[in-house]
PDB file of all heavy atoms in Angstrom:
ATOM      1  N   LEU A  10     -70.943  -0.969-109.066  1.00 90.00           N
ATOM      2  CA  LEU A  10     -70.569  -1.126-110.434  1.00 90.00           C
ATOM      3  C   LEU A  10     -70.847  -2.472-111.089  1.00 90.00           C
ATOM      4  O   LEU A  10     -71.436  -2.643-112.145  1.00 90.00           O
ATOM      5  CB  LEU A  10     -69.059  -0.724-110.613  1.00 90.00           C
ATOM      6  CG  LEU A  10     -68.540  -0.410-112.023  1.00 90.00           C
ATOM      7  CD1 LEU A  10     -69.097   0.944-112.415  1.00 90.00           C
ATOM      8  CD2 LEU A  10     -66.999  -0.366-112.015  1.00 90.00           C
ATOM      9  N   TRP A  11     -70.486  -3.439-110.282  1.00 90.00           N
ATOM     10  CA  TRP A  11     -70.697  -4.910-110.687  1.00 90.00           C
ATOM     11  C   TRP A  11     -72.211  -5.087-110.808  1.00 90.00           C
ATOM     12  O   TRP A  11     -72.649  -5.842-111.670  1.00 90.00           O
ATOM     13  CB  TRP A  11     -70.102  -5.852-109.767  1.00 90.00           C
ATOM     14  CG  TRP A  11     -68.664  -6.172-110.066  1.00 90.00           C
ATOM     15  CD1 TRP A  11     -67.493  -5.746-109.446  1.00 90.00           C
ATOM     16  CD2 TRP A  11     -68.187  -6.928-111.191  1.00 90.00           C
ATOM     17  NE1 TRP A  11     -66.405  -6.194-110.020  1.00 90.00           N
ATOM     18  CE2 TRP A  11     -66.737  -6.927-111.168  1.00 90.00           C
ATOM     19  CE3 TRP A  11     -68.788  -7.652-112.227  1.00 90.00           C
ATOM     20  CZ2 TRP A  11     -65.979  -7.531-112.057  1.00 90.00           C
ATOM     21  CZ3 TRP A  11     -68.036  -8.234-113.213  1.00 90.00           C
ATOM     22  CH2 TRP A  11     -66.622  -8.207-113.165  1.00 90.00           C
ATOM     23  N   GLY A  12     -72.922  -4.579-109.876  1.00 89.00           N
ATOM     24  CA  GLY A  12     -74.429  -4.732-110.014  1.00 89.00           C
ATOM     25  C   GLY A  12     -74.945  -4.175-111.239  1.00 89.00           C
ATOM     26  O   GLY A  12     -75.750  -4.733-111.894  1.00 89.00           O
ATOM     27  N   GLU A  13     -74.500  -2.938-111.599  1.00 89.00           N
ATOM     28  CA  GLU A  13     -74.946  -2.302-112.793  1.00 89.00           C
ATOM     29  C   GLU A  13     -74.606  -3.107-114.034  1.00 89.00           C
ATOM     30  O   GLU A  13     -75.397  -3.298-114.958  1.00 89.00           O
ATOM     31  CB  GLU A  13     -74.317  -0.869-112.952  1.00 89.00           C
ATOM     32  CG  GLU A  13     -75.057   0.189-112.145  1.00 89.00           C
ATOM     33  CD  GLU A  13     -74.408   1.518-112.351  1.00 89.00           C
ATOM     34  OE1 GLU A  13     -73.968   1.897-113.446  1.00 89.00           O
ATOM     35  OE2 GLU A  13     -74.325   2.294-111.344  1.00 89.00           O
ATOM     36  N   ILE A  14     -73.302  -3.636-114.037  1.00 86.00           N
ATOM     37  CA  ILE A  14     -72.873  -4.384-115.175  1.00 86.00           C
ATOM     38  C   ILE A  14     -73.756  -5.682-115.285  1.00 86.00           C
ATOM     39  O   ILE A  14     -74.255  -6.030-116.391  1.00 86.00           O
ATOM     40  CB  ILE A  14     -71.380  -4.778-115.062  1.00 86.00           C
ATOM     41  CG1 ILE A  14     -70.574  -3.560-115.265  1.00 86.00           C
ATOM     42  CG2 ILE A  14     -70.982  -5.878-116.031  1.00 86.00           C
ATOM     43  CD1 ILE A  14     -69.086  -3.727-114.812  1.00 86.00           C
ATOM     44  N   PHE A  15     -73.964  -6.246-114.100  1.00 88.00           N
ATOM     45  CA  PHE A  15     -74.815  -7.473-114.143  1.00 88.00           C
ATOM     46  C   PHE A  15     -76.169  -7.277-114.644  1.00 88.00           C
ATOM     47  O   PHE A  15     -76.760  -7.966-115.425  1.00 88.00           O
ATOM     48  CB  PHE A  15     -74.808  -8.117-112.661  1.00 88.00           C
ATOM     49  CG  PHE A  15     -75.535  -9.303-112.578  1.00 88.00           C
ATOM     50  CD1 PHE A  15     -75.079 -10.565-113.010  1.00 88.00           C
ATOM     51  CD2 PHE A  15     -76.826  -9.320-111.954  1.00 88.00           C
ATOM     52  CE1 PHE A  15     -75.881 -11.685-112.947  1.00 88.00           C
ATOM     53  CE2 PHE A  15     -77.555 -10.510-111.846  1.00 88.00           C
ATOM     54  CZ  PHE A  15     -77.076 -11.711-112.363  1.00 88.00           C
ATOM     55  N   CYS A  16     -76.834  -6.159-114.087  1.00 84.00           N
ATOM     56  CA  CYS A  16     -78.203  -5.870-114.493  1.00 84.00           C
ATOM     57  C   CYS A  16     -78.315  -5.563-115.961  1.00 84.00           C
ATOM     58  O   CYS A  16     -79.243  -5.980-116.561  1.00 84.00           O
ATOM     59  CB  CYS A  16     -78.731  -4.655-113.646  1.00 84.00           C
ATOM     60  SG  CYS A  16     -79.071  -5.196-111.948  1.00 84.00           S
ATOM     61  N   SER A  17     -77.320  -4.753-116.470  1.00 87.00           N
ATOM     62  CA  SER A  17     -77.401  -4.450-117.923  1.00 87.00           C
ATOM     63  C   SER A  17     -77.216  -5.674-118.758  1.00 87.00           C
ATOM     64  O   SER A  17     -77.814  -5.795-119.738  1.00 87.00           O
ATOM     65  CB  SER A  17     -76.349  -3.367-118.266  1.00 87.00           C
ATOM     66  OG  SER A  17     -75.059  -3.888-118.046  1.00 87.00           O
ATOM     67  N   GLY A  18     -76.326  -6.607-118.193  1.00 88.00           N
ATOM     68  CA  GLY A  18     -76.142  -7.869-119.009  1.00 88.00           C
ATOM     69  C   GLY A  18     -77.432  -8.670-119.061  1.00 88.00           C
ATOM     70  O   GLY A  18     -77.748  -9.192-120.045  1.00 88.00           O
ATOM     71  N   VAL A  19     -78.094  -8.721-117.863  1.00 89.00           N
ATOM     72  CA  VAL A  19     -79.357  -9.420-117.796  1.00 89.00           C
ATOM     73  C   VAL A  19     -80.382  -8.838-118.709  1.00 89.00           C
ATOM     74  O   VAL A  19     -81.111  -9.550-119.344  1.00 89.00           O
ATOM     75  CB  VAL A  19     -79.832  -9.509-116.291  1.00 89.00           C
ATOM     76  CG1 VAL A  19     -81.249 -10.010-116.209  1.00 89.00           C
ATOM     77  CG2 VAL A  19     -78.950 -10.433-115.451  1.00 89.00           C
ATOM     78  N   GLY A  20     -80.425  -7.512-118.650  1.00 88.00           N
ATOM     79  CA  GLY A  20     -81.408  -6.822-119.618  1.00 88.00           C
ATOM     80  C   GLY A  20     -81.164  -7.042-121.060  1.00 88.00           C
ATOM     81  O   GLY A  20     -82.050  -7.352-121.795  1.00 88.00           O
ATOM     82  N   ILE A  21     -79.848  -7.161-121.430  1.00 89.00           N
ATOM     83  CA  ILE A  21     -79.550  -7.426-122.901  1.00 89.00           C
ATOM     84  C   ILE A  21     -79.962  -8.928-123.188  1.00 89.00           C
ATOM     85  O   ILE A  21     -80.582  -9.109-124.191  1.00 89.00           O
ATOM     86  CB  ILE A  21     -78.028  -7.239-123.038  1.00 89.00           C
ATOM     87  CG1 ILE A  21     -77.638  -5.780-123.003  1.00 89.00           C
ATOM     88  CG2 ILE A  21     -77.579  -7.853-124.415  1.00 89.00           C
ATOM     89  CD1 ILE A  21     -76.153  -5.454-122.857  1.00 89.00           C
ATOM     90  N   TRP A  22     -79.629  -9.800-122.281  1.00 90.00           N
ATOM     91  CA  TRP A  22     -80.033 -11.212-122.519  1.00 90.00           C
ATOM     92  C   TRP A  22     -81.549 -11.340-122.530  1.00 90.00           C
ATOM     93  O   TRP A  22     -82.062 -12.113-123.407  1.00 90.00           O
ATOM     94  CB  TRP A  22     -79.466 -12.104-121.436  1.00 90.00           C
ATOM     95  CG  TRP A  22     -78.057 -12.514-121.752  1.00 90.00           C
ATOM     96  CD1 TRP A  22     -76.917 -12.066-121.052  1.00 90.00           C
ATOM     97  CD2 TRP A  22     -77.548 -13.262-122.836  1.00 90.00           C
ATOM     98  NE1 TRP A  22     -75.810 -12.602-121.727  1.00 90.00           N
ATOM     99  CE2 TRP A  22     -76.166 -13.350-122.779  1.00 90.00           C
ATOM    100  CE3 TRP A  22     -78.225 -13.946-123.880  1.00 90.00           C
ATOM    101  CZ2 TRP A  22     -75.382 -14.033-123.702  1.00 90.00           C
ATOM    102  CZ3 TRP A  22     -77.435 -14.693-124.836  1.00 90.00           C
ATOM    103  CH2 TRP A  22     -76.060 -14.702-124.744  1.00 90.00           C
ATOM    104  N   ALA A  23     -82.247 -10.552-121.744  1.00 91.00           N
ATOM    105  CA  ALA A  23     -83.702 -10.665-121.760  1.00 91.00           C
ATOM    106  C   ALA A  23     -84.226 -10.161-123.076  1.00 91.00           C
ATOM    107  O   ALA A  23     -85.221 -10.727-123.662  1.00 91.00           O
ATOM    108  CB  ALA A  23     -84.275  -9.857-120.603  1.00 91.00           C
ATOM    109  N   LYS A  24     -83.668  -9.009-123.610  1.00 92.00           N
ATOM    110  CA  LYS A  24     -84.153  -8.465-124.851  1.00 92.00           C
ATOM    111  C   LYS A  24     -83.913  -9.501-125.989  1.00 92.00           C
ATOM    112  O   LYS A  24     -84.695  -9.728-126.842  1.00 92.00           O
ATOM    113  CB  LYS A  24     -83.347  -7.269-125.209  1.00 92.00           C
ATOM    114  CG  LYS A  24     -83.903  -6.018-124.536  1.00 92.00           C
ATOM    115  CD  LYS A  24     -83.045  -4.770-124.848  1.00 92.00           C
ATOM    116  CE  LYS A  24     -83.405  -3.587-123.987  1.00 92.00           C
ATOM    117  NZ  LYS A  24     -82.492  -2.482-124.160  1.00 92.00           N
ATOM    118  N   ILE A  25     -82.705 -10.186-125.959  1.00 91.00           N
ATOM    119  CA  ILE A  25     -82.364 -11.185-126.977  1.00 91.00           C
ATOM    120  C   ILE A  25     -83.371 -12.296-126.901  1.00 91.00           C
ATOM    121  O   ILE A  25     -83.903 -12.775-127.909  1.00 91.00           O
ATOM    122  CB  ILE A  25     -80.947 -11.620-126.841  1.00 91.00           C
ATOM    123  CG1 ILE A  25     -79.911 -10.505-127.143  1.00 91.00           C
ATOM    124  CG2 ILE A  25     -80.609 -12.884-127.680  1.00 91.00           C
ATOM    125  CD1 ILE A  25     -78.476 -10.781-126.841  1.00 91.00           C
ATOM    126  N   TRP A  26     -83.639 -12.744-125.664  1.00 91.00           N
ATOM    127  CA  TRP A  26     -84.529 -13.824-125.501  1.00 91.00           C
ATOM    128  C   TRP A  26     -85.923 -13.546-126.008  1.00 91.00           C
ATOM    129  O   TRP A  26     -86.548 -14.347-126.628  1.00 91.00           O
ATOM    130  CB  TRP A  26     -84.557 -14.232-123.978  1.00 91.00           C
ATOM    131  CG  TRP A  26     -85.225 -15.505-123.673  1.00 91.00           C
ATOM    132  CD1 TRP A  26     -84.863 -16.736-124.039  1.00 91.00           C
ATOM    133  CD2 TRP A  26     -86.470 -15.628-123.039  1.00 91.00           C
ATOM    134  NE1 TRP A  26     -85.776 -17.683-123.588  1.00 91.00           N
ATOM    135  CE2 TRP A  26     -86.760 -17.029-122.939  1.00 91.00           C
ATOM    136  CE3 TRP A  26     -87.436 -14.789-122.500  1.00 91.00           C
ATOM    137  CZ2 TRP A  26     -87.960 -17.532-122.412  1.00 91.00           C
ATOM    138  CZ3 TRP A  26     -88.613 -15.211-121.908  1.00 91.00           C
ATOM    139  CH2 TRP A  26     -88.803 -16.576-121.891  1.00 91.00           C
ATOM    140  N   VAL A  27     -86.415 -12.331-125.629  1.00 92.00           N
ATOM    141  CA  VAL A  27     -87.741 -12.005-126.091  1.00 92.00           C
ATOM    142  C   VAL A  27     -87.856 -11.904-127.544  1.00 92.00           C
ATOM    143  O   VAL A  27     -88.798 -12.321-128.178  1.00 92.00           O
ATOM    144  CB  VAL A  27     -88.106 -10.615-125.376  1.00 92.00           C
ATOM    145  CG1 VAL A  27     -89.393 -10.039-126.111  1.00 92.00           C
ATOM    146  CG2 VAL A  27     -88.392 -10.780-123.980  1.00 92.00           C
ATOM    147  N   ARG A  28     -86.756 -11.245-128.215  1.00 92.00           N
ATOM    148  CA  ARG A  28     -86.777 -11.155-129.625  1.00 92.00           C
ATOM    149  C   ARG A  28     -86.713 -12.501-130.353  1.00 92.00           C
ATOM    150  O   ARG A  28     -87.480 -12.781-131.231  1.00 92.00           O
ATOM    151  CB  ARG A  28     -85.483 -10.353-130.022  1.00 92.00           C
ATOM    152  CG  ARG A  28     -85.649  -9.740-131.415  1.00 92.00           C
ATOM    153  CD  ARG A  28     -84.448  -8.836-131.805  1.00 92.00           C
ATOM    154  NE  ARG A  28     -84.446  -7.674-130.872  1.00 92.00           N
ATOM    155  CZ  ARG A  28     -83.373  -6.930-130.670  1.00 92.00           C
ATOM    156  NH1 ARG A  28     -82.241  -7.244-131.208  1.00 92.00           N
ATOM    157  NH2 ARG A  28     -83.429  -5.876-129.910  1.00 92.00           N
ATOM    158  N   SER A  29     -85.888 -13.469-129.709  1.00 91.00           N
ATOM    159  CA  SER A  29     -85.761 -14.775-130.434  1.00 91.00           C
ATOM    160  C   SER A  29     -87.089 -15.543-130.172  1.00 91.00           C
ATOM    161  O   SER A  29     -87.534 -16.308-131.077  1.00 91.00           O
ATOM    162  CB  SER A  29     -84.633 -15.552-129.798  1.00 91.00           C
ATOM    163  OG  SER A  29     -84.858 -15.767-128.463  1.00 91.00           O
ATOM    164  N   ARG A  30     -87.769 -15.301-129.039  1.00 90.00           N
ATOM    165  CA  ARG A  30     -89.017 -16.046-128.892  1.00 90.00           C
ATOM    166  C   ARG A  30     -90.092 -15.489-129.848  1.00 90.00           C
ATOM    167  O   ARG A  30     -90.884 -16.204-130.342  1.00 90.00           O
ATOM    168  CB  ARG A  30     -89.574 -15.778-127.418  1.00 90.00           C
ATOM    169  CG  ARG A  30     -89.132 -16.880-126.480  1.00 90.00           C
ATOM    170  CD  ARG A  30     -89.955 -16.889-125.199  1.00 90.00           C
ATOM    171  NE  ARG A  30     -91.298 -17.337-125.437  1.00 90.00           N
ATOM    172  CZ  ARG A  30     -92.232 -17.352-124.458  1.00 90.00           C
ATOM    173  NH1 ARG A  30     -91.938 -17.091-123.244  1.00 90.00           N
ATOM    174  NH2 ARG A  30     -93.451 -17.762-124.725  1.00 90.00           N
ATOM    175  N   LYS A  31     -90.092 -14.167-130.057  1.00 89.00           N
ATOM    176  CA  LYS A  31     -91.084 -13.569-131.007  1.00 89.00           C
ATOM    177  C   LYS A  31     -90.814 -14.183-132.364  1.00 89.00           C
ATOM    178  O   LYS A  31     -91.744 -14.538-133.090  1.00 89.00           O
ATOM    179  CB  LYS A  31     -90.898 -12.049-131.054  1.00 89.00           C
ATOM    180  CG  LYS A  31     -91.686 -11.348-129.884  1.00 89.00           C
ATOM    181  CD  LYS A  31     -91.499  -9.851-130.008  1.00 89.00           C
ATOM    182  CE  LYS A  31     -92.109  -9.156-128.830  1.00 89.00           C
ATOM    183  NZ  LYS A  31     -91.844  -7.731-128.896  1.00 89.00           N
ATOM    184  N   MET A  32     -89.507 -14.225-132.765  1.00 88.00           N
ATOM    185  CA  MET A  32     -89.156 -14.771-134.113  1.00 88.00           C
ATOM    186  C   MET A  32     -89.521 -16.189-134.189  1.00 88.00           C
ATOM    187  O   MET A  32     -90.118 -16.609-135.238  1.00 88.00           O
ATOM    188  CB  MET A  32     -87.704 -14.581-134.268  1.00 88.00           C
ATOM    189  CG  MET A  32     -87.199 -13.241-134.747  1.00 88.00           C
ATOM    190  SD  MET A  32     -85.483 -12.959-134.846  1.00 88.00           S
ATOM    191  CE  MET A  32     -85.068 -14.140-136.107  1.00 88.00           C
ATOM    192  N   TRP A  33     -89.289 -16.936-133.142  1.00 86.00           N
ATOM    193  CA  TRP A  33     -89.670 -18.373-133.104  1.00 86.00           C
ATOM    194  C   TRP A  33     -91.134 -18.587-133.285  1.00 86.00           C
ATOM    195  O   TRP A  33     -91.604 -19.451-134.023  1.00 86.00           O
ATOM    196  CB  TRP A  33     -89.083 -19.027-131.886  1.00 86.00           C
ATOM    197  CG  TRP A  33     -89.264 -20.513-131.948  1.00 86.00           C
ATOM    198  CD1 TRP A  33     -88.460 -21.406-132.584  1.00 86.00           C
ATOM    199  CD2 TRP A  33     -90.193 -21.274-131.109  1.00 86.00           C
ATOM    200  NE1 TRP A  33     -88.914 -22.704-132.297  1.00 86.00           N
ATOM    201  CE2 TRP A  33     -89.953 -22.644-131.443  1.00 86.00           C
ATOM    202  CE3 TRP A  33     -91.202 -20.954-130.158  1.00 86.00           C
ATOM    203  CZ2 TRP A  33     -90.684 -23.628-130.820  1.00 86.00           C
ATOM    204  CZ3 TRP A  33     -91.974 -22.011-129.688  1.00 86.00           C
ATOM    205  CH2 TRP A  33     -91.742 -23.283-129.950  1.00 86.00           C
ATOM    206  N   SER A  34     -91.941 -17.842-132.506  1.00 87.00           N
ATOM    207  CA  SER A  34     -93.378 -18.013-132.566  1.00 87.00           C
ATOM    208  C   SER A  34     -93.918 -17.620-133.877  1.00 87.00           C
ATOM    209  O   SER A  34     -94.872 -18.190-134.405  1.00 87.00           O
ATOM    210  CB  SER A  34     -94.027 -17.155-131.363  1.00 87.00           C
ATOM    211  OG  SER A  34     -93.761 -15.856-131.545  1.00 87.00           O
ATOM    212  N   ALA A  35     -93.334 -16.547-134.467  1.00 87.00           N
ATOM    213  CA  ALA A  35     -93.747 -16.151-135.794  1.00 87.00           C
ATOM    214  C   ALA A  35     -93.531 -17.205-136.830  1.00 87.00           C
ATOM    215  O   ALA A  35     -94.281 -17.552-137.662  1.00 87.00           O
ATOM    216  CB  ALA A  35     -93.087 -14.817-136.203  1.00 87.00           C
ATOM    217  N   SER A  36     -92.309 -17.785-136.743  1.00 87.00           N
ATOM    218  CA  SER A  36     -91.936 -18.864-137.713  1.00 87.00           C
ATOM    219  C   SER A  36     -92.818 -20.142-137.403  1.00 87.00           C
ATOM    220  O   SER A  36     -93.110 -20.856-138.371  1.00 87.00           O
ATOM    221  CB  SER A  36     -90.492 -19.297-137.627  1.00 87.00           C
ATOM    222  OG  SER A  36     -90.203 -19.763-136.318  1.00 87.00           O
ATOM    223  N   LEU A  37     -93.173 -20.304-136.160  1.00 85.00           N
ATOM    224  CA  LEU A  37     -94.098 -21.492-135.814  1.00 85.00           C
ATOM    225  C   LEU A  37     -95.502 -21.242-136.529  1.00 85.00           C
ATOM    226  O   LEU A  37     -96.083 -22.102-137.113  1.00 85.00           O
ATOM    227  CB  LEU A  37     -94.218 -21.541-134.341  1.00 85.00           C
ATOM    228  CG  LEU A  37     -94.806 -22.942-133.842  1.00 85.00           C
ATOM    229  CD1 LEU A  37     -93.713 -24.000-133.969  1.00 85.00           C
ATOM    230  CD2 LEU A  37     -95.137 -22.760-132.374  1.00 85.00           C
ATOM    231  N   VAL A  38     -95.887 -19.946-136.441  1.00 85.00           N
ATOM    232  CA  VAL A  38     -97.233 -19.629-137.010  1.00 85.00           C
ATOM    233  C   VAL A  38     -97.131 -19.749-138.531  1.00 85.00           C
ATOM    234  O   VAL A  38     -98.132 -20.375-139.126  1.00 85.00           O
ATOM    235  CB  VAL A  38     -97.685 -18.199-136.618  1.00 85.00           C
ATOM    236  CG1 VAL A  38     -98.811 -17.704-137.510  1.00 85.00           C
ATOM    237  CG2 VAL A  38     -98.019 -18.177-135.145  1.00 85.00           C
ATOM    238  N   LYS A  39     -96.082 -19.346-139.113  1.00 86.00           N
ATOM    239  CA  LYS A  39     -95.863 -19.471-140.593  1.00 86.00           C
ATOM    240  C   LYS A  39     -95.911 -20.895-140.945  1.00 86.00           C
ATOM    241  O   LYS A  39     -96.555 -21.336-141.942  1.00 86.00           O
ATOM    242  CB  LYS A  39     -94.579 -18.851-141.003  1.00 86.00           C
ATOM    243  CG  LYS A  39     -94.658 -17.353-141.257  1.00 86.00           C
ATOM    244  CD  LYS A  39     -93.305 -16.895-141.768  1.00 86.00           C
ATOM    245  CE  LYS A  39     -93.227 -15.329-141.636  1.00 86.00           C
ATOM    246  NZ  LYS A  39     -91.909 -14.869-141.867  1.00 86.00           N
ATOM    247  N   SER A  40     -95.119 -21.793-140.276  1.00 86.00           N
ATOM    248  CA  SER A  40     -95.051 -23.215-140.613  1.00 86.00           C
ATOM    249  C   SER A  40     -96.442 -23.852-140.474  1.00 86.00           C
ATOM    250  O   SER A  40     -96.821 -24.749-141.204  1.00 86.00           O
ATOM    251  CB  SER A  40     -94.053 -23.881-139.791  1.00 86.00           C
ATOM    252  OG  SER A  40     -94.259 -23.892-138.465  1.00 86.00           O
ATOM    253  N   ARG A  41     -97.153 -23.418-139.472  1.00 86.00           N
ATOM    254  CA  ARG A  41     -98.499 -23.984-139.162  1.00 86.00           C
ATOM    255  C   ARG A  41     -99.418 -23.606-140.316  1.00 86.00           C
ATOM    256  O   ARG A  41    -100.214 -24.449-140.780  1.00 86.00           O
ATOM    257  CB  ARG A  41     -99.076 -23.411-137.880  1.00 86.00           C
ATOM    258  CG  ARG A  41     -98.896 -24.374-136.764  1.00 86.00           C
ATOM    259  CD  ARG A  41     -99.842 -23.973-135.615  1.00 86.00           C
ATOM    260  NE  ARG A  41     -99.284 -24.444-134.383  1.00 86.00           N
ATOM    261  CZ  ARG A  41     -99.450 -23.883-133.174  1.00 86.00           C
ATOM    262  NH1 ARG A  41    -100.097 -22.743-133.073  1.00 86.00           N
ATOM    263  NH2 ARG A  41     -98.914 -24.396-132.124  1.00 86.00           N
TER     264      ARG A  41
END
Side-chain angles (χ1 to χ4, degrees):
L10 195 72
W11 273 108
E13 276 180 40
I14 290 165
F15 179 75
C16 287
S17 66
V19 167
I21 290 162
W22 277 112
K24 281 180 192 171
I25 291 166
W26 189 70
V27 166
R28 200 174 294 157
S29 62
R30 266 197 70 181
K31 278 182 186 171
M32 280 172 64
W33 186 75
S34 60
S36 64
L37 197 72
V38 167
K39 277 183 195 168
S40 61
R41 261 197 206 147

